[in-house]
Amino acid sequence: MRKLLYFIICAASFLMAVVFSNILLGIVFPNSLLGIGSFVSYAIGFFVARFVWMRLQTTGAGGAEGPFVCIATGAIMLGAIGFTGGFFGPMMFAPEANQGPLLGIFYTGPIGFLLGGVAGFVWWLVKRRA
């Protein structure tokens, strides 16, 4: 059951990273040739999901994590949960609303990312004192 939850979190992290990196790469390189922007977006998504998967596997191992690792893990995990909830929730509950997925892109994803970063820092402080 735990592995399934880890897989869902990693899949949400992959989706969030692909969408946001594709948006950012589309702004920076508007006329990318041969889909290089999409390839880079999928690579970024893969590495983000791999980072989260490895962090979830070693959480209970008692390893020495720095504040950046804890902040990044919390931000990615809660940001991904907020993004997928805000992106797919309006599609399920209000399918006639054509701008529903924008909720996940502009509101719940970034807010979850920020709150996750704060939660990751608090987690690091608690683990450091223990």
Side-chain angles (χ1 to χ4, degrees), residues 96-111:
E96 67 278 351
N98 59 353
Q99 295 178 349
L102 295 176
L103 177 71
I105 294 173
F106 291 119
Y107 291 106
T108 58
I111 290 171

Side-chain angles (χ1 to χ4, degrees), residues 75-89:
I76 292 170
M77 286 174 47
L78 285 182
I81 291 169
F83 171 75
T84 53
F87 192 85
F88 294 111

Side-chain angles (χ1 to χ4, degrees), residues 7 10 30 84 119:
F7 178 76
C10 289
T84 53

Side-chain angles (χ1 to χ4, degrees), residues 48-127:
V48 166
R50 184 177 180 276
F51 171 76
V52 171
W53 180 262
M54 297 305 289
R55 266 304 276 149
L56 288 173
Q57 296 298 316
T58 60
T59 300
E65 304 101 10
F68 175 75
V69 174
C70 291
I71 290 171
T73 304
I76 292 170
M77 286 174 47
L78 285 182
I81 291 169
F83 171 75
T84 53
F87 192 85
F88 294 111
M91 286 185 204
M92 292 175 12
F93 298 118
E96 67 278 351
N98 59 353
Q99 295 178 349
L102 295 176
L103 177 71
I105 294 173
F106 291 119
Y107 291 106
T108 58
I111 290 171
F113 189 81
L114 293 175
L115 290 176
V118 171
F121 182 70
V122 170
W123 175 263
W124 176 74
L125 286 176
V126 168
K127 283 192 75 161

